[in-house]
């Protein structure tokens, strides 16, 4: 699958097919990302890794 840039703030993507998500865990933060069935990037988010969650 070719990497495709995420939608800009002015456009939205209607997800097609199954959504695949992944989480990359680190000591201080975690990063989650999602792609649709066509491999299009739906979003990425970074979260602080603390005992509170």
């Amino acid at each position: 699958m070719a990497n495709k840039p995420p939608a800009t703030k002015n456009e939205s993507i209607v997800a097609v097919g199954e959504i695949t998500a992944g989480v990359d865990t680190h000591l201080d933060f975690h990063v989650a990302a999602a792609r649709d069935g066509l491999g299009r990037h739906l979003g990425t988010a970074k979260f602080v890794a603390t005992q509170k969650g």
Side-chain angles (χ1 to χ4, degrees):
M1 271 184 256
N3 288 331
K4 297 180 182 176
T8 65
K9 291 182 180 182
N10 294 329
E11 65 180 319
S12 61
I13 292 178
V14 175
V16 176
E18 293 184 15
I19 305 299
T20 302
V23 178
D24 190 8
T25 60
H26 299 274
L27 182 63
D28 297 322
F29 63 92
H30 305 314
V31 178
R35 292 188 179 269
D36 73 1
L38 298 177
R40 296 179 298 179
H41 180 256
L42 300 176
T44 303
K46 182 177 176 179
F47 304 92
V48 177
T50 64
Q51 288 184 345
K52 292 181 179 181

